[in-house]
Amino acid sequence: MRYLVSANWKMNKTVAESLEYLEIFLPKVEDITAVDIMIAPSFTALASASLKLEHSHVYLGAQNMYYMDKGAFTGEISPLMLTELDVDYVILGHSERRHLFCEKDDLINKKMISAVEHGIRPILCVGETLEERELGKTLNVVEKQIRTAVAGIEKDMIYIDIAYEPVWAIGTGVNATPKQAQEVHRFIRELISDISKGNDEKTRILYGGSVNDKNASELIKEPDINGFLVGTASLDPDKFFNIISHVIEA
Ligand code: PGA
């Protein structure tokens, strides 16, 4: 399985800043073919980033998407608008979308179906809050999030990646320990293998939540961690490159 290292820039970087970053970053990864690399800039930077990535093997991602092709949905972005820009991936169900913007499992399910239908590879984010972890509910929460998100497209698991991102680890500087992450990743692997009837051999299970160039090498040694979804540390091209290097070394 090819591992995937992905950058989620969130609401950071203007168009000019995004291009400046790519100017520094792309030459560094020019010869890297051992892993897949993806960058998800802001929506306003997608078109320029797409042009910049045209002759590069770095994949382009969007941070969100609505499920309808077009219509009266003020402020939303459709899958057709993304495929027009050669967007390869879309991050769906991110905890910030769930918690700050009240996205529910059934909406995420519609987006997942639409992304797969349009050939945009979703990275489905799942993860428990601190309270849920302390109550021993982690695996139940993750199972419910995954089952509802892929309802109706279980057989298409091969076209989907999953990011386990414990809410308490996102943007806090406190990452899950390799052992904590591995336990959940193992559970997710068994779950998706079961619900897809083994059609999950291309599905990467990424870890996300305060990944940096210090903790990446230990985390990636775990057998069921197949890459990362990186927020804060991906904003710096050197740090993001170092994380990619750790994944290649593993
Ligand atoms: P972080 O964000 O690396 O800043 O914790 C990860 C994410 O939200 O995808």
Side-chain angles (χ1 to χ4, degrees), residues 8 10 94-96 165 169-173 208-211 229-233:
N8 173 12
K10 309 191 180 183
H94 191 278
S95 89
E96 285 146 20
E165 300 205 305
I170 296 176
T172 58
S210 296
V211 173
L229 179 56
V230 189
T232 313

Side-chain angles (χ1 to χ4, degrees), residues 5-26:
V5 193
S6 45
N8 173 12
W9 285 355
K10 309 191 180 183
M11 200 177 71
N12 293 289
K13 298 194 189 296
T14 60
V15 177
E17 288 165 346
S18 304
L19 292 176
E20 219 172 279
Y21 179 111
L22 293 175
E23 203 60 50
I24 300 168
F25 180 72
L26 293 182

Side-chain angles (χ1 to χ4, degrees), residues 144-155:
K144 179 171 173 284
Q145 288 172 336
I146 292 176
R147 281 190 188 276
T148 43
V150 303
I153 47 168
E154 291 89 348
K155 63 177 188 328

Side-chain angles (χ1 to χ4, degrees), residues 90-104:
V90 62
I91 299 170
L92 294 177
H94 191 278
S95 89
E96 285 146 20
R97 300 291 329 163
R98 291 178 191 265
H99 297 286
L100 301 175
F101 303 102
C102 306
E103 282 196 16
K104 298 278 174 279

Side-chain angles (χ1 to χ4, degrees), residues 120-131:
I120 307 170
R121 193 175 176 91
I123 298 179
L124 168 68
C125 301
V126 298
E128 81 288 2
T129 62
L130 185 58
E131 192 190 354

